[in-house]
Amino acid sequence: MVAGQRPDAEPLGGPAAAGQAWFRPLQQALQLEAERGFDDLMGRRERFSAFLARQCQVPPAGLNPPQRQLLQELAAAYASYGDLSLARRQGLVRRTRQALHELQRALEPPTPVAPPRLRLAADPGAASEQPGGDPRRPGATPALHPDTPLAEIRGVGPRTAQKLAALGLFVARDLLRYYPRDYLDYANLVRIASLEPGRTATIVATVRRTNSFTSPRNPNLSILELQLQDITGRLRVSKFFAGKRFSSPGWLKAQQRQYPLGATVAVSGLVKETPYGPVFQDPLMEVLESPNAPLQSQQIGRLLPVYGLTEGLTAERVRAAIQPVLAAAAAWGDPLPAALLEQQGLVELPTALTQIHQPANQESLSAARRRLVFDEFLLLQLGLLLRRRELTSRPAPALAPAAPALGSAAGGRSLVQAFLELLPFPLTGAQRRVLAEIRADLVQEQPMARLVQGDVGSGKTVVAIAALLTAIDAGCQGALMAPTEVLAEQHYQKLCAWLPQLHVSCALLTGSTPARRRRELLADLANGNLQLLVGTHALLEDPVQFARLGLVVVDEQHRFGVAQRNRLLDKGLQPHLLTMTATPIPRTLALSLHGDLEVSQIDELPPGRTPIRTAMLKAGERHEAYGLIREEVAAGQRAYVVLPLVEESEKLDLRSAVEVHRQLSEEVFPELSVGLLHGRMASADKQAAIGAFARGESHVLVSTTVVEVGVDVPEASVMVIEHADRFGLAQLHQLRGRVGRGAAASHCLLINDSRNALARQRLEVLVHSTDGFEIAEMDLRLRGPGAVLGTRQSGLPDLALASLTDDGEVLEQARRVAQELMATDPELRRHPALAQVLADQRQRLSQGARLN
Ligand code: ADP
Ligand code: MG
């Protein structure tokens, strides 16, 4: 969330506001360009430089001739942006931001807010850019706005601004949102004699001696040394200054003078072990007024913020830079109304920002954090709910069952009923419940946007087919999309077992469908003869035209994205959408990623499954796994051996599928038939390998994670997973679901060749649990959301403070508030400041997505 709005930034509020509308996209483009490393980002239609050149030629009204001239010059400069060196691009972007800022101020009515007085930190290095010099310009400091370039803040000179830019901080708002990484607790005081390496600690001691000098071996390195003492012992503390400018003897002496002999100082930092005893690494130091009053420290309070820093940028300098911004931000307002804050028990934004940077105590720090985390989640949820509104804005065909035609194939019953009667088993309670939820959605004109989560083997396919038949019952077409050809083919095979009996026409379309077949099939689809299309993403491609598409089911992994939805909308289609996933994710993640969907859970396995026995083996115990495979195959069962990679990777020393296949078939199981399946095989070869394994022509299938998605061979009763430590828990659980599909007791053997204790601990979770949700929750805790979702899953929200592991409760709270807001004020008319912040964020996100 960006900083609160200025009261004068109301949209549609006169000429100043019209100017605002001109500035905003430019400022955002400039920011994005800087964040992405001055690459001349490609937008949807044009490059960053083209966009700037174009915009600068159409200046907002109200500029005088020199100002317009300035924009013309910038436009010309951007015309050759592509030829500039990185440094020059950087310079041009910086100049442009500055120029825009000045123009923007020139267009605005003067603001009545008195400029806050800048408080300078005690460290002279923090206050001035030049050792010994004083860069403070005379005259009034302009009022700080969220978009004020950092270089214009008093006390932040161009050099500091450059260092801050390296951290991705360009304007005041950025600095405000540059939250401390950590806090050193001044209350956590220890004596010198009890300093422990590896921990952060604070001491309070007396200065006995000081020294400062430039390293004789390195003229770029200057050192300030303090000899400190408390009642338990002595300690030498060194501060290092990298850079020639710090070698000025005058500046060094000034540093030294800050710590007069006999003064009491507090020193905080990480304690490191050295041959000479413990030392502080990169310590933070502060002179205290009296030995007994460390907590009265005026400059920083009791909890000292620690920032992620870049070379040559001291913590003091960051703190000094933030100080005036915090003071100014008090006047920037709060996008959330006071009544809401009170009702939700949240502190005001300016308070939260001040307390996150300069906490008075732990309580106010956690209140501040809670407010800021709430804001992050609230924006996220509002964004998702808004997207849902957009996704479902156009009506879908209401799939009410048509009156069955006399003498129809199903003999007067609906296709769904006929299908359920064909099944050799009754639906589980969970399947019935979820199917009812889906069917209740389908009869509405409001398009369904629903996610079905269900553990592997919970029987999602049957539910999907029943849903598709509901669409066909209503005279519409259905589409079933799978992430891989293997899985699409398998679904198709399954459907072929049932649909012909119901006289429902069905076809398979993948990337490898031959051209002639494809033509026929597309024609049948367009004229409505074809009722159900199964395939990969190929079925969203351009030439595919449906006569009357009612429902799209997306199986496994492929979250139906906005782009895909738009492709359908472009074809004039607004079908109902059902996504199915076997990778259950914890609720916090589900809400954050799929908050725009309704979620159904198939939380019950069909009866008669024997639980899979899972064990962990060391690499040296691999022969035990092979022994088990031999036994099971002798008993008529089959086995998978799963590997993470296809080819031998020297770097990672992984045993590749190809190599393992050779070894197993030639050396280990010469008496058995060993198949091979990996993602780089041609589609026909993959089908052949799966087919042979399913028919029992091969006994052991060596495979990469291709088997993860849905391959269904009931006779497979053993799975050996090599390098199990390299897989995520959810993925391992998913893999494991490929066995135990029949009645025989099944085994999963995880081979762990890592000595890492955490890896072991993660795998233990799998040994002890078979509950997908529980496993996902543990994976999230142990590895974090990015790792849980993997790189393929994009769209993970960018959260600065909020944690999907620890802040679940705040997330629920924000979700509730977002829902209430959307229910009572869907356009956020009564919350203009909030609407603005949200619009800013959405524009940034969509720009990011486009420019990516
Ligand atoms: P997943 O949820 O992993 O996609 P599937 O739909 O592939 O699971 O179902 C796994 C297996 O369970 C299939 O062989 C399917 O026929 C069978 N199955 C599905 N529903 C039931 C049920 N209610 N009772 C018994 N077996 C079922
Ligand atoms: Mg499935």
Side-chain angles (χ1 to χ4, degrees):
M1 175 162 184
V2 287
Q5 282 305 114
R6 283 194 307 288
D8 59 350
E10 278 283 331
L12 308 176
Q20 286 285 345
W22 183 84
F23 284 103
R24 193 175 292 279
L26 279 174
Q27 280 158 340
Q28 281 168 334
L30 286 159
Q31 164 123 15
L32 210 59
E33 173 72 1
E35 281 170 11
R36 303 289 161 93
F38 306 93
D39 253 358
D40 200 10
L41 291 166
M42 190 60 209
R44 182 146 55 182
R45 268 179 271 123
E46 58 192 344
R47 289 206 169 272
F48 160 77
S49 54
F51 174 66
L52 262 97
R54 194 163 53 78
Q55 287 300 105
C56 287
Q57 280 168 1
V58 285
L63 295 182
N64 60 29
Q67 289 168 332
R68 283 207 296 274
Q69 174 65 26
L70 173 66
L71 285 179
Q72 286 303 328
E73 283 164 18
L74 285 174
Y78 278 101
S80 54
Y81 184 80
D83 305 327
L84 299 182
S85 68
L86 175 65
R88 285 181 181 280
R89 286 181 180 196
Q90 236 163 346
L92 178 57
V93 167
R94 197 167 46 240
R95 279 203 309 282
T96 313
R97 297 181 83 149
Q98 194 130 359
L100 289 182
H101 176 71
E102 276 156 18
L103 291 177
Q104 196 174 15
R105 279 219 316 268
L107 282 176
E108 272 167 9
T111 112
V113 185
R117 272 289 306 162
L118 169 62
R119 274 166 61 197
L120 296 173
D123 182 352
S128 70
E129 287 290 305
Q130 296 293 337
D134 183 353
R136 278 173 288 178
R137 289 152 293 187
T141 305
L144 282 177
H145 288 163
D147 292 315
T148 302
L150 292 179
E152 288 181 17
I153 298 173
R154 289 190 70 183
V156 182
R159 283 195 209 165
T160 299
Q162 241 173 44
K163 304 242 168 65
L164 292 168
L167 295 169
L169 312 176
F170 303 96
V171 294
R173 160 207 339 259
D174 301 340
L175 200 53
L176 215 45
R177 299 295 169 163
Y178 189 60
Y179 301 129
R181 206 161 28 87
D182 205 349
Y183 302 85
L184 296 182
D185 197 341
Y186 263 57
N188 177 26
L189 283 173
V190 297
R191 297 294 187 192
I192 286 175
S194 43
L195 282 175
E196 274 179 65
R199 305 185 58 169
T200 49
T202 302
I203 58 165
V204 171
T206 309
V207 179
R208 286 190 39 100
R209 201 181 309 148
T210 60
N211 189 16
S212 65
F213 55 95
T214 295
S215 163
R217 268 169 297 164
N218 181 355
N220 279 320
L221 186 66
S222 301
I223 300 161
L224 170 69
E225 264 182 12
L226 308 185
Q227 181 83 45
L228 303 181
Q229 180 171 35
D230 72 6
I231 52 168
T232 65
R234 290 184 185 185
L235 182 74
R236 189 192 302 171
V237 173
S238 308
K239 266 191 111 162
F240 297 93
F241 301 95
K244 267 230 168 57
R245 62 207 175 96
F246 296 118
S247 61
S248 135
W251 187 80
L252 278 175
K253 281 281 168 276
Q255 285 294 311
Q256 209 176 324
R257 272 198 302 275
Q258 277 195 80
Y259 305 97
L261 298 188
T264 305
V265 294
V267 182
S268 243
L270 180 64
V271 180
K272 243 182 28 179
E273 182 73 87
T274 74
Y276 312 102
V279 300
F280 279 103
Q281 180 181 359
D282 194 15
L284 294 156
M285 293 195 273
E286 195 189 351
V287 178
L288 304 175
E289 284 170 17
S290 86
N292 302 321
L295 307 183
Q296 285 164 16
S297 158
Q298 289 307 299
Q299 187 194 345
I300 36 190
R302 178 173 168 186
L303 290 164
L304 184 69
V306 181
Y307 296 92
L309 296 177
T310 186
E311 206 191 328
L313 191 63
T314 61
E316 286 97 327
R317 195 164 287 205
V318 173
R319 294 203 305 260
I322 285 173
Q323 178 60 45
V325 182
L326 283 174
W332 295 349
D334 193 322
L336 298 185
L340 177 69
L341 294 179
E342 188 166 338
Q343 179 203 357
Q344 298 297 324
L346 296 167
V347 298
E348 287 179 355
L349 185 59
T351 309
L353 289 168
T354 302
Q355 290 300 319
I356 200 89
H357 286 290
Q358 305 178 339
N361 52 47
Q362 287 289 358
E363 290 71 51
S364 59
L365 173 60
S366 68
R369 204 182 158 275
R370 185 173 181 106
R371 165 64 204 264
L372 297 171
V373 166
F374 177 86
D375 281 10
E376 288 181 8
F377 281 140
L378 180 69
L379 280 188
L380 175 68
Q381 291 302 319
L382 282 173
L384 286 164
L385 293 176
L386 257 156
R387 188 157 91 204
R388 178 177 178 84
R389 255 170 64 87
E390 284 164 13
L391 287 181
T392 57
S393 59
R394 282 205 245 160
L399 301 177
L406 277 180
S408 76
R413 292 160 307 155
S414 73
L415 289 169
V416 178
Q417 276 172 315
F419 168 67
L420 295 179
E421 281 164 26
L422 271 183
L423 289 178
F425 45 74
L427 293 188
T428 63
Q431 282 172 316
R432 254 181 289 136
R433 190 189 68 239
V434 171
L435 182 57
E437 286 167 5
I438 294 169
R439 283 165 59 100
D441 283 354
L442 291 179
V443 296
Q444 313 283 336
E445 269 201 347
Q446 159 104 327
M448 172 169 73
R450 185 173 284 277
L451 172 74
V452 173
Q453 290 198 2
D455 224 333
V456 248
S458 59
K460 292 181 293 296
T461 315
V462 170
V463 173
I465 297 173
L468 288 163
L469 290 173
T470 307
I472 294 168
D473 268 328
C476 283
Q477 293 167 306
L480 174 56
M481 265 172 43
T484 64
E485 293 199 2
V486 168
L487 193 54
E489 171 87 21
Q490 198 172 292
H491 277 317
Y492 180 66
Q493 298 298 348
K494 242 186 207 160
L495 288 169
C496 285
W498 291 311
L499 297 194
Q501 302 180 60
L502 302 172
H503 300 274
V504 171
S505 54
C506 172
L508 176 69
L509 177 67
T510 67
S512 44
T513 306
R516 230 186 96 222
R517 172 85 191 108
R518 170 183 291 256
R519 264 197 308 277
E520 287 167 13
L521 188 157
L522 291 181
D524 280 344
L525 199 63
N527 65 27
N529 281 343
L530 186 56
Q531 292 165 295
L532 181 52
L533 184 61
V534 184
T536 51
H537 266 192
L539 59 78
L540 286 180
E541 279 165 18
D542 259 350
V544 185
Q545 294 293 341
F546 292 84
R548 194 163 183 242
L549 181 60
L551 169 66
V552 175
V553 178
V554 188
D555 190 20
E556 310 285 3
Q557 289 182 359
H558 270 177
R559 169 96 159 70
F560 213 82
V562 177
Q564 289 151 316
R565 167 86 66 159
N566 286 341
R567 218 165 301 164
L568 287 178
L569 285 174
D570 286 347
K571 298 181 182 197
L573 298 168
Q574 172 68 298
H576 297 278
L577 280 180
L578 182 64
T579 302
M580 303 195 300
T581 174
T583 321
I585 53 175
R587 187 170 159 78
T588 52
L589 265 184
L591 277 183
S592 304
L593 279 176
H594 308 301
D596 52 344
L597 304 177
E598 305 287 331
V599 178
S600 293
Q601 225 120 264
I602 306 188
D603 46 11
E604 179 186 350
L605 290 183
R609 300 268 164 86
T610 26
I612 303 164
R613 259 174 268 156
T614 301
M616 192 173 7
L617 296 179
K618 296 195 193 86
E621 299 165 330
R622 192 175 276 116
H623 59 273
E624 290 181 23
Y626 294 158
L628 180 66
I629 290 180
R630 255 185 221 102
E631 280 171 32
E632 291 287 310
V633 172
Q637 304 293 326
R638 272 155 246 165
Y640 295 103
V641 175
V642 183
L643 292 122
L645 286 185
V646 185
E647 271 153 24
E648 193 77 52
S649 153
E650 285 162 3
K651 250 200 224 143
L652 293 174
D653 187 31
L654 296 177
R655 289 152 48 89
S656 79
V658 175
E659 166 55 20
V660 168
H661 175 253
R662 190 200 56 76
Q663 197 190 1
L664 290 187
S665 53
E666 291 173 13
E667 295 162 22
V668 182
F669 303 120
E671 76 282 12
L672 302 180
S673 163
V674 182
L676 175 63
L677 176 68
H678 63 70
R680 299 211 202 137
M681 282 163 44
S683 170
D685 296 341
K686 280 188 217 163
Q687 278 315 315
I690 292 171
F693 186 64
R695 290 187 299 271
E697 291 158 19
S698 59
H699 310 106
V700 178
L701 185 63
V702 176
S703 171
T704 57
T705 50
V706 180
V707 289
E708 176 188 345
V709 274
V711 173
D712 192 4
V713 178
E715 293 84 3
S717 65
V718 185
M719 175 170 285
V720 176
I721 304 177
E722 295 278 352
H723 303 291
D725 49 294
R726 297 189 187 262
F727 293 92
L729 286 190
Q731 197 184 9
L732 286 171
H733 178 61
Q734 174 102 7
L735 277 168
R736 176 169 70 171
R738 298 301 114 205
V739 295
R741 308 208 128 206
S746 301
H747 305 267
C748 175
L749 301 174
L750 306 170
I751 298 190
N752 168 28
D753 34 21
S754 142
R755 277 180 232 288
N756 185 321
L758 183 63
R760 211 191 145 74
Q761 192 193 345
R762 285 202 307 118
L763 295 178
E764 288 287 351
V765 173
L766 222 58
V767 171
H768 296 297
S769 175
T770 52
D771 176 339
F773 284 95
E774 184 183 329
I775 289 166
E777 190 75 46
M778 290 304 291
D779 210 17
L780 178 65
R781 289 198 171 277
L782 294 171
R783 292 199 310 159
V788 168
L789 295 171
T791 45
R792 268 178 305 172
Q793 274 269 20
S794 59
L796 193 65
D798 193 11
L799 302 168
L801 271 184
S803 149
L804 290 174
T805 328
D806 301 329
D807 296 321
E809 185 216 333
V810 189
L811 171 57
E812 300 284 356
Q813 182 189 10
R815 170 92 173 166
R816 277 195 307 276
V817 171
Q819 277 168 333
E820 277 162 32
L821 279 171
M822 290 304 280
T824 54
D825 183 17
E827 322 254 283
L828 296 177
R829 283 184 207 282
R830 292 197 299 280
H831 302 87
L834 183 58
Q836 185 64 65
V837 175
L838 189 63
D840 282 354
Q841 173 182 276
R842 295 191 69 175
Q843 183 166 355
R844 274 179 58 89
L845 286 180
S846 72
Q847 224 161 38
R850 263 186 275 140
L851 291 170
N852 249 328

